[in-house]
Amino acid sequence: MDKKGSAIFVLGIPPHWPSKKKEVLISYKKDKTKVCVEGDVNGSIVVTIGSLNFVSQKIQFINTHGVILGVFWDIEKSNDLAVYINKDKLNSIDIHETLSITGNYKPINKEETLPQKEILKACKKWMQWRDHHYGKIKDNPKKNRELKPLIEQRNELEASIRSLCFILNNHSSNKTMLTINALPLLRSLLFWSDGKGPYNPLLFRLAAKCKLPLPIFALESIIPETKTHPLFKDAYSQKVYNYPSIKKKLRDEKLMDFQEWLNLEFTRNSKKETFRWKDLIFDCANTMSATHFDEDKPIYLKEISETITWNKSDLVNYIVAITEVTIDVANNVLRSIDKEINSNV
């Protein structure tokens, strides 16, 4: 392990804290240093880095959805770990006083119904993009091919969604089975190239033909704003946990088009390279799935795969979240297509 270092995490806090069993809150490895943060049944946080181990006093979270957890060590000066939650330095378990961390989180219980005008405004940019790239009805097929009618393409989308539902129901906790089976479908439904490439994602193509917005709720990416920030510029890497949903769950979530979210940066590595959610789909599908099994894979995918959050690989958490939203969004597209087809009968 590195003799000196620090690790800063944004840690999500579930409403059922403390857990009924000891859980890995986050486990992250970079080069020779592995940081493991666990939540114990008594409300303590356990931090392990190499031979260093720290068990905190009991912690109570009140109206708290997430906190900043900082870990600092310098074994040349001391064998102790300094652990902070937000601005509070944690005492060891020998201190029997419980530390209360209070936030202002208020869950959104009422489903927000937005007017169509607001949805169209939020999704306008990407609706125009889809219309430009996929909106025109193809007139002529390639040589020795025939054009697919809309109903056939609609049925392909429905079959893809049924397959994704099956994969989620049977393999959502199995990283290998999930990546092998879900990623080829996600790539064919969601991935588009930045240039003129041959990719023609089915979900966005059909949304374009029906002139549909694809509204979801998510947080905006903070990575572009922090690339040169003194607090982050020397960090090994930076990751953002930002799961989309068709329903608003957090107060700070923004209404946006699904394509806008897929185009957001979510991780930065030590070379200052950044990656987007659509890059994750493409790179993972092309190296770790039934689309193509390469002999190697991008380093950032290895780190994501080996990072554990709440007992699950980040890669699994990301793929499950993307798949769930893809199913919800696609079902809305299917309903619109069916309505259009029935109106023309």
Side-chain angles (χ1 to χ4, degrees):
M1 61 174 282
D2 293 331
K3 293 182 178 181
K4 179 180 180 180
S6 62
I8 300 174
F9 307 101
V10 176
L11 192 67
I13 305 298
H16 57 269
W17 178 271
S19 301
K20 294 182 180 179
K21 60 180 181 179
K22 195 172 186 178
E23 293 188 282
V24 176
L25 307 185
I26 190 161
S27 176
Y28 173 70
K29 183 179 181 181
K30 181 67 178 180
D31 298 330
K32 297 180 180 180
T33 302
K34 181 179 180 180
V35 180
C36 182
V37 181
E38 298 173 291
D40 211 341
V41 293
N42 65 356
S44 295
I45 285 181
V46 182
V47 180
T48 304
I49 304 176
S51 60
L52 302 180
N53 183 263
F54 173 83
V55 182
S56 79
Q57 65 197 107
K58 295 180 182 179
I59 303 171
Q60 180 184 28
F61 294 103
I62 303 169
N63 296 331
T64 304
H65 180 264
V67 296
I68 297 175
L69 181 110
V71 182
F72 304 84
W73 69 95
D74 185 347
I75 60 176
E76 293 181 340
K77 292 183 177 180
S78 171
N79 281 329
D80 293 332
L81 289 172
V83 182
Y84 290 79
I85 288 183
N86 298 336
K87 296 180 180 180
D88 294 303
K89 184 177 181 180
L90 303 187
N91 293 314
S92 73
I93 196 170
D94 299 330
I95 304 299
H96 299 294
E97 181 181 354
T98 299
L99 174 65
S100 293
I101 305 292
T102 302
N104 58 3
Y105 170 67
K106 294 181 180 179
I108 298 174
N109 297 318
K110 186 178 179 181
E111 184 176 339
E112 186 173 353
T113 303
L114 294 171
Q116 187 68 8
K117 184 177 180 180
E118 190 171 340
I119 291 174
L120 293 175
K121 181 180 178 181
C123 300
K124 180 180 178 181
K125 173 185 173 181
W126 287 99
M127 288 179 68
Q128 292 175 338
W129 188 96
R130 286 192 291 270
D131 183 61
H132 174 73
H133 287 81
Y134 311 126
K136 294 180 181 179
I137 303 296
K138 195 171 184 179
D139 295 324
N140 300 306
K142 296 178 182 179
K143 186 178 179 181
N144 298 323
R145 295 190 182 191
E146 66 174 8
L147 293 175
K148 295 178 182 178
L150 179 61
I151 186 66
E152 184 176 346
Q153 297 179 59
R154 176 252 178 239
N155 290 342
E156 289 174 339
L157 179 60
E158 181 182 39
S160 298
I161 296 311
R162 287 185 177 182
S163 297
L164 286 175
C165 288
F166 177 84
I167 293 165
L168 272 190
N169 290 335
N170 291 277
H171 306 306
S172 62
S173 60
N174 186 315
K175 180 170 61 178
T176 302
M177 292 297 291
L178 186 66
T179 54
I180 286 176
N181 292 289
L183 266 299
L185 287 168
L186 292 175
R187 192 188 78 161
S188 65
L189 294 173
L190 305 177
F191 180 77
W192 72 96
S193 62
D194 294 324
K196 292 184 177 179
Y199 298 96
N200 188 0
L202 179 60
L203 176 59
F204 301 146
R205 185 204 320 156
L206 291 181
K209 293 186 188 306
C210 297
K211 302 187 183 304
L212 295 173
L214 302 175
I216 57 100
F217 289 96
L219 300 172
E220 294 185 274
S221 176
I222 63 170
I223 287 182
E225 302 173 7
T226 58
K227 287 179 182 177
T228 58
H229 193 286
L231 183 62
F232 297 97
K233 69 182 183 68
D234 295 325
Y236 275 138
S237 63
Q238 184 185 358
K239 296 178 176 64
V240 175
Y241 293 94
N242 180 10
Y243 301 115
S245 173
I246 62 169
K247 297 179 181 178
K248 190 170 185 177
K249 295 180 179 179
L250 301 175
R251 183 177 55 193
D252 295 330
E253 286 179 332
K254 170 191 170 186
L255 176 66
M256 65 178 71
D257 193 272
F258 190 25
Q259 267 192 280
E260 178 181 350
W261 179 84
L262 287 166
N263 207 44
L264 293 179
E265 295 172 343
F266 78 100
T267 188
R268 175 180 67 86
N269 68 14
S270 56
K271 295 179 181 179
K272 300 192 182 303
E273 295 174 319
T274 55
F275 300 93
R276 299 160 295 179
W277 297 106
K278 74 167 194 167
D279 298 327
L280 173 77
I281 294 170
F282 184 73
D283 292 336
C284 197
N286 288 351
T287 59
M288 300 167 60
S289 81
T291 301
H292 197 78
F293 295 110
D294 275 359
E295 292 185 87
D296 53 17
K297 61 185 177 183
I299 292 175
Y300 86 95
L301 284 184
K302 178 179 183 295
E303 292 180 357
I304 291 170
S305 181
E306 293 179 351
T307 298
I308 306 300
T309 306
W310 290 100
N311 287 342
K312 285 187 179 180
S313 162
D314 272 357
L315 186 62
V316 169
N317 292 330
Y318 291 156
I319 295 173
V320 167
I322 293 170
T323 301
E324 289 175 341
V325 170
T326 299
I327 291 170
D328 289 335
V329 170
N331 279 327
N332 288 336
V333 172
L334 287 172
R335 283 190 285 269
S336 295
I337 294 174
D338 291 342
K339 185 177 180 180
E340 180 178 327
I341 291 174
N342 292 332
S343 67
N344 294 328
V345 174

